[in-house]
């Protein structure tokens, strides 16, 4: 059993996006939680670029990530930036940390915790097909891990013959047992409470054939070396948690505090479903920038779904900066979080009506330059007139919001 307790002070959190060219609302949702958790405790929030999967990388994606997060007011204390790394725990690009990961893998091999596997793609497919035919659990483990117990001489001979290999974890999880004999681990999740799940028994890949680490291994090493105390991430990572727990345990390191957030959902035909990159343009952060949503409005709305008591606090403190709100993990949802574009629009009106006309005017000009250059020429040079229009009916006890 693995147990952890909450660290109530000095939280160090991170955001670790992959440079795939798509920065989405879920990234921003998690980033706001990370940022509030760190900064309210006097801790550190840093940006790490997880770029070990070169097949998925898109040119210019890192710059787009940094630009989008800055636009929405996400402030990092350390990590990757447009002007290089900032901080004492870099490099903050995983692709630049290969030697670090390889060093730990060598140590694991020497301790019998990892081993080289020479299976070809064809052999792995054959194993998978046999498992399907026999209706056994898929994966590379136990009796299916054909290179798990190769002798040193066999390994050396294969390497001398130029055979490609990956390095796998030699999992200590139980294999080939009946359902009632399956061993479990328990992990305290700060959002979901005690999680009980089967222990990992898979000999997962740590280093790929090109010497680059897998995500599972790289993020465990980095979270430890970069002193991450809280890992705030989506529920889609829950199935991988036993792997990560075993890796931390094998390396002899304490677990961070895990906080698995709810997935962002939307209503469709009376039913909830997960926001989809393919179906829902509002999942992309570019949507909000191109449609002209003010970043303060998006941030305000996301806090209403991050903490269930935020709206009550806002009603009691209508003019107080949101940074004064006491964000807590306990008030985060552990089930599907409903994203409501209509509610965002209503909140946007409340936020925009309180912004000074000078700020709105500059925001409108900047937006037009980026997305409606045909309008930019009408706005620039006429700022005084534009501010008078933006200020129409915005004073008094019942300011107009219908044209914002």
């Amino acid at each position: 059993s693995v147990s952890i307790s909450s660290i109530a002070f000095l939280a160090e959190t991170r955001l670790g996006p992959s440079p795939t060219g798509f920065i989405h609302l879920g990234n921003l949702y998690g980033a706001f939680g990370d940022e509030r958790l760190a900064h309210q405790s006097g801790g550190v929030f840093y940006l790490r670029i997880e770029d070990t999967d070169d097949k998925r990388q898109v040119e210019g994606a890192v710059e787009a990530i940094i630009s989008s997060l800055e636009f929405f007011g996400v402030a990092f204390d350390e990590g990757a930036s447009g002007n290089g790394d900032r901080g004492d725990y870099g490099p903050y690009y995983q692709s630049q940390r290969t030697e670090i990961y390889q060093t730990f893998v060598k140590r694991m091999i020497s301790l019998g915790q990892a081993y080289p596997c020479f299976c070809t793609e064809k052999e792995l497919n054959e194993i998978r097909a046999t498992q399907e035919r026999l209706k056994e659990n898929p994966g590379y483990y136990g009796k299916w891990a054909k290179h798990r117990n190769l002798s040193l001489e066999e390994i050396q001979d294969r390497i001398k013959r130029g055979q490609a290999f990956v390095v796998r974890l030699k999992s200590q999880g139980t294999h080939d047992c009946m359902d009632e004999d399956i061993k479990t681990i328990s992990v305290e999740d700060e959002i979901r409470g005690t999680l009980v799940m089967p222990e990992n028994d898979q000999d997962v890949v740590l280093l790929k054939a090109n010497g680059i680490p897998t995500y599972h291994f790289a993020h465990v090493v980095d979270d430890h070396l970069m002193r991450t105390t809280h890992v705030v991430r989506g529920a889609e990572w829950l199935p991988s948690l036993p792997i990560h727990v075993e890796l931390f345990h094998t390396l002899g390191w304490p677990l961070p505090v895990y906080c698995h957030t709810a997935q962002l959902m939307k209503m469709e035909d009376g039913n909830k479903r997960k926001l989809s990159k393919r179906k829902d343009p509002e999942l992309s952060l570019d949507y909000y920038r191109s449609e002209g949503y003010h970043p303060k409005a998006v941030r305000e709305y996301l806090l209403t779904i991050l903490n269930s008591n935020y709206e009550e606090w806002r009603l009691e403190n209508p003019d107080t900066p949101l940074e004064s709100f006491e964000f807590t993990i306990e008030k985060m949802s552990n089930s599907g979080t409903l994203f409501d574009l209509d509610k965002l629009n209503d909140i946007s009106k409340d936020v925009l009506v309180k912004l000074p006309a000078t700020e709105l005017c500059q925001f409108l000009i900047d937006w037009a330059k980026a997305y409606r250059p045909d309008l930019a020429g009408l706005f620039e040079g006429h700022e005084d007139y534009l501010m008078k229009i933006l200020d129409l009916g915005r004073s008094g006890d019942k300011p107009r919001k219908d044209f914002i």
Side-chain angles (χ1 to χ4, degrees), residues 47-64:
L47 176 64
R48 185 172 72 217
I49 302 298
E50 299 184 344
D51 57 348
T52 57
D53 189 351
D54 53 3
K55 293 180 181 178
R56 299 178 63 222
Q57 288 184 40
V58 174
E59 187 177 352
V62 173
E63 292 77 11

Side-chain angles (χ1 to χ4, degrees), residues 48-234:
R48 185 172 72 217
I49 302 298
E50 299 184 344
D51 57 348
T52 57
D53 189 351
D54 53 3
K55 293 180 181 178
R56 299 178 63 222
Q57 288 184 40
V58 174
E59 187 177 352
V62 173
E63 292 77 11
I65 289 170
I66 294 172
S67 171
S68 291
L69 294 172
E70 286 180 348
F71 177 81
F72 287 101
V74 178
F76 294 99
D77 304 296
E78 296 179 3
S81 74
N83 299 314
D85 286 352
R86 290 184 292 110
D88 298 328
Y89 296 94
Y92 293 95
Y93 287 77
Q94 288 186 332
S95 60
Q96 299 174 16
R97 300 173 62 82
T98 301
E99 189 174 346
I100 296 173
Y101 309 127
Q102 292 176 351
T103 299
F104 281 105
V105 164
K106 288 177 182 178
R107 182 174 184 273
M108 292 175 73
I109 292 174
S110 70
L111 294 174
Q113 299 169 336
Y115 63 94
C117 170
F118 300 87
C119 281
T120 64
E121 191 66 29
K122 180 182 178 182
E123 289 174 307
L124 293 174
N125 288 336
E126 289 172 350
I127 291 173
R128 193 177 302 112
T130 303
Q131 290 170 335
E132 290 177 358
R133 188 177 72 252
L134 298 176
K135 294 182 169 53
E136 297 205 20
N137 291 333
Y140 196 86
Y141 62 94
K143 64 184 180 183
W144 302 104
K146 58 189 296 184
H147 293 162
R148 180 182 173 98
N149 296 310
L150 290 179
S151 67
L152 177 60
E153 291 74 17
E154 288 176 300
I155 291 171
Q156 289 175 329
D157 180 62
R158 287 173 178 266
I159 292 175
K160 285 179 181 178
R161 286 189 278 126
Q163 289 189 18
F165 64 91
V166 300
V167 177
R168 291 182 180 272
L169 169 72
K170 186 175 281 189
S171 172
Q172 298 306 299
T174 51
H175 314 292
D176 305 320
C177 58
M178 302 297 290
D179 287 349
E180 58 267 23
D181 298 325
I182 293 176
K183 292 185 179 180
T184 60
I185 60 170
S186 62
V187 181
E188 293 302 317
D189 186 288
E190 287 297 287
I191 295 175
R192 299 168 181 272
T194 303
L195 300 175
V196 179
M197 50 185 53
E199 68 178 353
N200 174 60
D201 69 349
Q202 298 283 333
D203 289 2
V204 295
V205 175
L206 305 180
L207 287 185
K208 293 175 276 190
N210 59 2
I212 301 298
T214 59
Y215 167 79
H216 294 307
F217 186 62
H219 99 277
V220 166
V221 172
D222 290 344
D223 279 345
H224 175 72
L225 296 183
M226 295 180 181
R227 306 297 190 263
T228 307
T229 63
H230 291 66
V231 173
V232 181
R233 62 186 185 185

Side-chain angles (χ1 to χ4, degrees), residues 266 268 273-283:
K266 73 178 294 185
E268 184 175 81
R273 68 163 176 81
K274 183 181 174 182
L275 277 174
S276 164
K277 177 180 176 180
R278 182 171 57 86
K279 294 182 179 180
D280 305 308
E282 65 268 33
L283 186 60

